[in-house]
Amino acid sequence: MDLRELASEHRTMSNILSKWRPEQILLWYADLDVRVAGEAVAYLCPHCGSKAAMRVEEFIRQDTNLDLYCNECRGELEERGGPG
């Protein structure tokens, strides 16, 4: 899978990105240094710039930069309002 295919799938799966032109999604990917390697997508956390990755199936369900924060930037589970 290349970035154009990823963007097409992402656009299909996301209510927000469905309104974007494919070129806009590719620019967003460029800002995040998105790379596809097999079944994984590597990218830079939009908050701190550290390397992050997730499976393609999960990545294409993310709508915004907030969804792509690394675990450290998301905070501990208690800080996110989850069970402690």
Side-chain angles (χ1 to χ4, degrees):
M1 171 177 291
D2 66 16
L3 288 180
R4 289 190 185 279
E5 293 169 323
L6 181 68
S8 176
E9 287 191 33
H10 207 165
R11 193 168 184 241
T12 300
M13 296 299 296
S14 168
N15 288 330
I16 292 172
L17 297 181
S18 67
K19 297 172 181 84
W20 291 25
R21 292 189 326 269
E23 299 80 21
Q24 291 174 294
I25 297 172
L26 291 172
L27 283 172
W28 181 44
Y29 287 178
D31 287 344
L32 299 173
D33 195 26
V34 171
R35 305 200 186 269
V36 180
E39 295 299 315
V41 176
Y43 61 95
L44 299 179
C45 171
H47 188 256
C48 72
S50 67
K51 292 181 181 182
M54 64 178 66
R55 295 186 53 79
V56 169
E57 294 82 16
E58 183 181 0
F59 185 83
I60 61 174
R61 288 179 171 75
Q62 310 309 309
D63 292 317
T64 68
N65 277 352
L66 290 174
D67 298 328
L68 298 175
Y69 278 16
C70 66
N71 289 336
E72 189 171 318
C73 289
R74 285 186 196 149
E76 295 300 321
L77 190 57
E78 307 83 54
E79 293 173 6
R80 295 189 308 228

